[in-house]
Amino acid sequence: MRNEEKYITFKIKRRDKPESTPYWEEFRIPYKPNMNVVSSLMEIRKNPVNASGHKVNPVVFECNCYEEVCGACTMIINGTPRQACSALIDEIIGKHGMERPITLQPLTKFPVIRDLMVDRQIMFDYLKKVKAWIPVDGSFGLGRGPRYDERKRSAAYQISRCMTCGCCAEACPSFNERSDFMGPHVFSQVKMFNMHPLGLMQKEDRLKAIMSHGGIQDCGNAQNCVRVCPKSIPLTRSIAELNLDVNLLAIKRIFKW
Amino acid sequence: MNPKAVVVGGGLAGLMSTIKLVERGIAVDLISLVPVKRSHSVCAQGGINAALNTKGEGDSVDQHFYDTIYGGDFLASQPPVRGMVDAAPELIYTFDRMGANFTRTEEGLLDLRLFGGVKKRRTVFAGATTGQQLEYTLDEQVRRHEDSGKVTKYEGWEFLKAVIDGEGVCRGCIAQNLATMEIRVFRADVVIIATGGAGVIYGKSTNSSINTGSAASIVYQQGAAYANAEFIQIHPTAMLGDDKTRLMSESARGEGGRVWTYKDGKPWYFLEEMYPGYGNLVPRDIASRAIHKVCVEMGLGIDGKNQVYLDLSHLDKDFLERRLGGIIEIYEKFHGDDPKKVPMKIYPGIHYFMGGVHVNWHHMTSIPGLFAAGECDYMYHGANRLGANSLLSAAYSGTVCGPAAADYIAGLGKLAAEEDGSLYETYRQKEVAYDDYVRKLNGDENPFVLHQEMGELMTRNVGIVRYNKDLTAADGELQRFMERWHRLAMVDSNVYSNQTVMFVKQLKNMMELARVITISALNRDESRGAHYKPEFPERNDKDYLKTTKAFYTADGPRFEWEEVNTSLLEPVKRTYGGSK
Ligand SMILES: Cc1cc2nc3c(=O)[nH]c(=O)nc-3n(C[C@H](O)[C@H](O)[C@H](O)COP(=O)(O)OP(=O)(O)OC[C@H]3O[C@@H](n4cnc5c(N)ncnc54)[C@H](O)[C@@H]3O)c2cc1C
Ligand code: SF4
Ligand code: SF4
Ligand code: FES
């Protein structure tokens, strides 16, 4: 075992620039214990030769933190949207064996820039639409912040770890180029700000934002989002709770309370 | 005509500077390699220091000041540090009002935890993802200003050069779009560099892949002084990995984690034995050297390798989940084992740059109009940084830098918008020509392989323990790397979104900075904080209680020493022995 070199194969969906046609290319790299998909892509760029032995351009990909906290390296790995830095090769080959190529493709719900790199600007734009912030009077000192019940706070903490990675949006059938549906992550952010003792004061503004076009009513409740979220954010629970809030607000408006 | 500021970098320092400028009515162009929300600040786990004194332990701002200066081995100029610790509590409260998700007590107040190098609970935290929460909080505030048109973000752009006019004043910068590769001019009355640390110079580190120090190196090459480059914190507890050495936060030790290895067949808690007063919570430099000693000199690493145990398995499972959930998850995720059951294997890893671009107390560099803030400046940590003090310095420096930049603009006679275009066009064309040179490199070496070689050299020769002969050798090798750089192969022929072109440019800048680090270390014949030379094991205040300042010249860096302001605390010997 020890002397014979083991290889793993990647099958990568590539594209040279936004408007060009995608193509698949295979790479083989020597196996080592403890590899992950990012460290494999780094190996490829040190010797950018494809499986047929041709020199090719290194594969372009995004990655900053290497610890699944920045969200940059999200891609589709063997059919599932996830972070490449925490996709351990040992785990993948443990499931599928050494022989089967590991497929990598860019997220499909966002415009591709090149190879595995996509543009997720729209996710940030939607955060603007729902006013996902606390409108403080200023960044100067005004004394202690509000008291916050630790139980509520830790529920909000769950949500606060959303890294805008796009896995949920990728998995969501309602989120796509033809629709303006804002996507699951947005609703949980609204929920989080509406829980905060100060954020509570602008609760209705945020609710109104998600009652408008592209809002919460377009969720088909397919539950795909919550299954792929790497941070286990209770996406569908937020949606259910917000649905209640939104309905209450609608009734309130009818009766002009 | 309206004034305009460019902020390069969207970590805590850059975002805080941006907010302060906007509040002073100045429009900001915010340039960042990555969407600012993905900046390296999100990696910080453990917490942020402020003497809130809410635990009935009699903590105080004075004590925070003392610990910071003492922890930094008296190399930090004292008045700015005083300003930082004074402002810390109010700064935390501001974050709190903005919605930062800090862990609370039963009373609903901010909870505090213990960190290294101190004896009182002073560290505010948000689970084990404090940096992420702080970064997101400022990101949200900046998005709000973006929404109202006061900030324009240029995410996916890389800083290439400051534009400096005939009088030596900074008038804007040149940056490049990482997708289209367009190189364009950003006119501005001030430019703030808030580009973070430079761990990538060492190949593997606890830093993000974008922390190349390239921007800091560029302004150094343009004439800004670079200070205390030799002081690089090596974090004692990092996981080993092929791509990076992932940090195991100091909070693991703060919450009761113990470091050990086997000696004579029995567990040996060497930190507790060597430093009974602080035990496992000795400052980072001391812990790193102890681990290096145990592994490299005594050959007592686990399985004969350079690694020891960091053990949490004796602690209560629920307590661990609640207090350290985030970092336990990281270890499990990247290593497979559950630290609640099995001790973690760790070794010191390159972590934090105390040194950086030299600035005055208003965060202006030696080039008027050019400011620096955050990990890329040199000001607050002296020879060694205490845990949880750098999120503080990053955010705090933004609160100083932003308003100072606004004051500077108020005193300007003529705005950048009124300049004629020729100055900018000359700068832009130079960058276009350089880009072209890099694209046409057609030697035979792969740039990523050369980078790996440089990282290995720096880790081996300019790491935890330093010998002058190794430093001299490293400098020679770095100069040969710089020649080899011209013989690189441009392995990517695509015109669009070419990461290799950008990396090759960064690599050149990393080499320049690597030389500054190496020669700065060579020049300092003493041991202080993170800088340790067995040939000169003592601190030597007579000759070296001074800031190292490096200036770029075409023949290599030129050095000056600058006096350290010790007006508030008399330097004393730094030891962590004795009892608590
Ligand atoms: C793993 C880890 C854990 C840590 N934990 C703690 C902790 O618990 N407590 C603590 O106090 N400190 C901690 N630190 C240190 C702390 O996180 C950093 O020092 C701090 O976040 C730095 O913030 P910054 O704003 O200076 O830079 P960063 O957050 O690094 O931001 C740099 C910004 O500059 C941009 N940029 C860089 N170069 C360019 C360029 N050429 N062109 C355009 N943009 C550019 C980047 O895109 C980014 O937006 C930790 C560090 C690490 C590595
Ligand atoms: S539950 Fe709603 S948001 Fe989640 S995947 Fe389904 S449609 Fe999308
Ligand atoms: S909710 Fe989860 S999957 Fe969606 S963007 Fe946030 S972290 Fe990613
Ligand atoms: S690199 Fe940051 S999540 Fe993978």
Side-chain angles (χ1 to χ4, degrees), chain B residues 67-103:
Chain B
D67 290 342
T68 303
I69 295 295
Y70 184 82
D73 230 345
F74 292 88
L75 197 64
S77 268
Q78 297 176 0
V81 176
R82 184 74 218 190
M84 174 176 81
V85 298
D86 281 342
E90 203 56 56
L91 187 61
I92 297 298
Y93 294 146
T94 304
F95 269 109
D96 191 25
R97 283 170 36 236
M98 290 172 174
N101 196 296
F102 294 124
T103 301

Side-chain angles (χ1 to χ4, degrees), chain B residues 328-382:
Chain B
I328 287 176
E329 192 183 298
I330 289 182
Y331 192 82
E332 235 181 318
K333 200 159 252 164
F334 293 98
H335 196 270
D337 291 341
D338 178 0
K340 296 198 289 299
K341 302 192 185 116
V342 234
M344 301 179 271
K345 288 182 192 148
I346 52 98
Y347 194 71
I350 297 288
H351 184 52
Y352 183 87
F353 284 63
M354 273 74 73
V357 180
H358 188 277
V359 290
N360 65 17
W361 294 354
H362 305 290
H363 281 273
M364 192 151 86
T365 68
S366 49
I367 299 171
L370 181 68
F371 291 71
E375 187 168 338
C376 72
D377 79 42
Y378 90 110
M379 198 133 70
Y380 299 97
H381 307 291

Side-chain angles (χ1 to χ4, degrees), chain B residues 10-329:
Chain B
L12 288 184
L15 295 182
M16 189 58 100
S17 302
T18 301
I19 292 169
K20 291 290 174 188
L21 282 161
V22 167
E23 287 179 354
R24 290 280 298 264
I26 292 165
V28 178
D29 282 346
L30 177 55
I31 299 177
S32 168
L33 291 169
V34 297
V36 293
K37 194 176 177 180
R38 307 196 197 287
S39 295
H40 171 68
S41 286
V42 298
C43 290
Q45 303 166 352
I48 177 165
N49 287 337
L52 299 184
N53 187 31
T54 53
K55 293 285 177 191
E57 295 175 334
D59 194 19
S60 65
V61 170
D62 285 344
Q63 189 64 44
H64 187 184
F65 177 58
Y66 185 83
D67 290 342
T68 303
I69 295 295
Y70 184 82
D73 230 345
F74 292 88
L75 197 64
S77 268
Q78 297 176 0
V81 176
R82 184 74 218 190
M84 174 176 81
V85 298
D86 281 342
E90 203 56 56
L91 187 61
I92 297 298
Y93 294 146
T94 304
F95 269 109
D96 191 25
R97 283 170 36 236
M98 290 172 174
N101 196 296
F102 294 124
T103 301
R104 305 276 163 159
T105 64
E106 283 298 309
E107 249 191 82
L109 294 175
L110 303 179
D111 203 357
L112 298 173
R113 66 160 47 129
L114 196 60
F115 241 63
V118 303
K119 291 179 173 176
K120 300 210 165 107
R121 280 175 285 179
R122 185 183 297 149
T123 305
V124 184
F125 61 103
T129 61
T130 313
Q132 188 186 25
Q133 300 313 323
L134 296 176
E135 174 75 14
Y136 289 3
T137 302
L138 296 189
D139 174 63
E140 289 149 10
Q141 295 299 320
V142 168
R143 185 165 298 105
R144 178 181 166 215
H145 292 313
E146 189 191 10
D147 192 45
S148 56
K150 294 166 195 150
V151 174
T152 312
K153 281 187 191 152
Y154 293 86
E155 296 171 318
W157 286 76
E158 180 156 344
F159 171 84
L160 298 180
K161 273 279 184 312
V163 173
I164 297 168
D165 70 12
E167 271 126 64
V169 176
C170 177
R171 292 293 192 172
C173 72
I174 309 289
Q176 184 163 17
N177 183 301
L178 302 178
T180 63
M181 307 302 278
E182 174 198 357
I183 294 174
R184 70 156 266 197
V185 168
F186 288 82
R187 287 182 185 228
D189 300 295
V190 293
V191 173
I192 297 176
I193 300 290
T195 48
V200 178
I201 290 178
Y202 280 78
K204 286 189 272 188
S205 74
T206 63
N207 289 191
S208 294
S209 63
I210 48 176
N211 290 7
T212 61
S214 190
S217 173
I218 289 166
V219 298
Y220 154 72
Q221 292 170 63
Q222 290 191 275
Y226 196 91
N228 288 347
E230 65 273 38
F231 294 99
I232 295 170
Q233 180 164 81
I234 302 184
H235 198 289
T237 60
M239 298 166 58
L240 301 130
D242 268 341
D243 42 356
K244 95 179 276 196
T245 54
R246 294 183 176 80
L247 178 77
M248 264 303 121
S249 167
E250 188 163 293
S251 53
R253 288 179 293 137
E255 302 288 6
R258 302 176 77 187
V259 176
W260 61 277
T261 188
Y262 286 104
K263 191 166 97 177
D264 309 324
K266 285 195 299 277
W268 179 35
Y269 297 92
F270 53 92
L271 288 178
E272 294 167 34
E273 188 177 306
M274 293 172 182
Y275 305 99
Y278 284 80
N280 292 291
L281 277 175
V282 283
R284 296 175 175 178
D285 54 329
I286 295 179
S288 289
R289 283 200 290 278
I291 297 170
H292 182 268
K293 182 173 173 186
V294 164
C295 292
V296 178
E297 288 170 34
M298 304 172 70
L300 292 176
I302 303 288
D303 301 334
K305 294 187 193 147
N306 282 345
Q307 52 186 17
V308 296
Y309 286 133
L310 170 59
D311 198 348
L312 294 171
S313 60
H314 57 288
L315 296 168
D316 177 68
K317 310 272 171 292
D318 286 343
F319 172 82
L320 287 175
E321 259 326 321
R322 207 156 33 83
R323 304 286 287 226
L324 296 173
I327 65 165
I328 287 176
E329 192 183 298

Side-chain angles (χ1 to χ4, degrees), chain A residues 15-18 32-36 38-39 42-48 56-72 85-88 91 113-114 117 120-121 123-125 127-129 131-151 153-154 156-158 160-165 189 192-193 196 198 230-231, chain B residues 16 19-20 23 34-35 37-40 42-43 45 52 54 90-91 93-94 96-110 126-130 132-133 136 139-141 143-144 146-147 153 155 178-179 206-210 240 242-247 322 326 329-330 332-336 399 446 448-449 452 491-500 503:
Chain A
R15 192 200 294 241
D16 294 338
K17 53 178 191 270
K32 280 190 283 186
N34 273 328
M35 294 167 88
N36 58 52
V38 160
S39 72
M42 287 165 77
E43 245 359 90
I44 291 176
R45 72 185 181 189
K46 281 185 212 156
N47 181 25
V56 295
N57 289 332
V59 179
V60 167
F61 62 100
E62 271 184 277
C63 147
N64 312 334
C65 72
Y66 310 92
E67 9 191 278
E68 203 192 78
V69 68
C70 78
C85 62
S86 57
L88 304 187
E91 216 173 273
I113 295 174
R114 187 180 162 189
M117 191 170 181
R120 284 167 278 185
Q121 181 57 40
M123 293 187 78
F124 298 111
D125 291 342
L127 290 174
K128 270 186 226 156
K129 213 170 145 187
K131 305 192 191 315
W133 53 71
I134 289 179
V136 290
D137 291 350
S139 67
F140 34 81
L142 289 174
R144 250 183 229 288
R147 299 221 175 187
Y148 197 172
D149 180 341
E150 171 60 13
R151 273 152 291 260
R153 196 286 311 172
S154 63
Y157 179 68
Q158 273 285 310
S160 71
R161 297 169 70 204
C162 169
M163 52 188 181
T164 332
C165 71
Q189 290 297 305
M192 180 182 86
F193 285 102
H196 189 270
L198 298 182
K231 298 291 157 193
Chain B
M16 189 58 100
I19 292 169
K20 291 290 174 188
E23 287 179 354
V34 297
K37 194 176 177 180
R38 307 196 197 287
S39 295
H40 171 68
V42 298
C43 290
Q45 303 166 352
L52 299 184
T54 53
E90 203 56 56
L91 187 61
Y93 294 146
T94 304
D96 191 25
R97 283 170 36 236
M98 290 172 174
N101 196 296
F102 294 124
T103 301
R104 305 276 163 159
T105 64
E106 283 298 309
E107 249 191 82
L109 294 175
L110 303 179
T129 61
T130 313
Q132 188 186 25
Q133 300 313 323
Y136 289 3
D139 174 63
E140 289 149 10
Q141 295 299 320
R143 185 165 298 105
R144 178 181 166 215
E146 189 191 10
D147 192 45
K153 281 187 191 152
E155 296 171 318
L178 302 178
T206 63
N207 289 191
S208 294
S209 63
I210 48 176
L240 301 130
D242 268 341
D243 42 356
K244 95 179 276 196
T245 54
R246 294 183 176 80
L247 178 77
R322 207 156 33 83
E329 192 183 298
I330 289 182
E332 235 181 318
K333 200 159 252 164
F334 293 98
H335 196 270
T399 70
N446 179 299
F448 301 101
V449 175
Q452 185 176 335
V491 292
D492 190 345
S493 60
N494 200 337
V495 283
Y496 196 81
S497 183
N498 190 319
Q499 292 177 332
T500 313
F503 185 76

Side-chain angles (χ1 to χ4, degrees), chain B residues 551-573:
Chain B
F551 296 88
Y552 177 82
T553 80
D555 313 317
R558 174 179 68 77
F559 287 88
E560 280 175 16
W561 297 106
E562 185 181 270
E563 288 305 316
V564 175
N565 181 318
T566 56
S567 55
L568 303 175
L569 281 176
E570 190 62 33
V572 296
K573 191 172 154 70

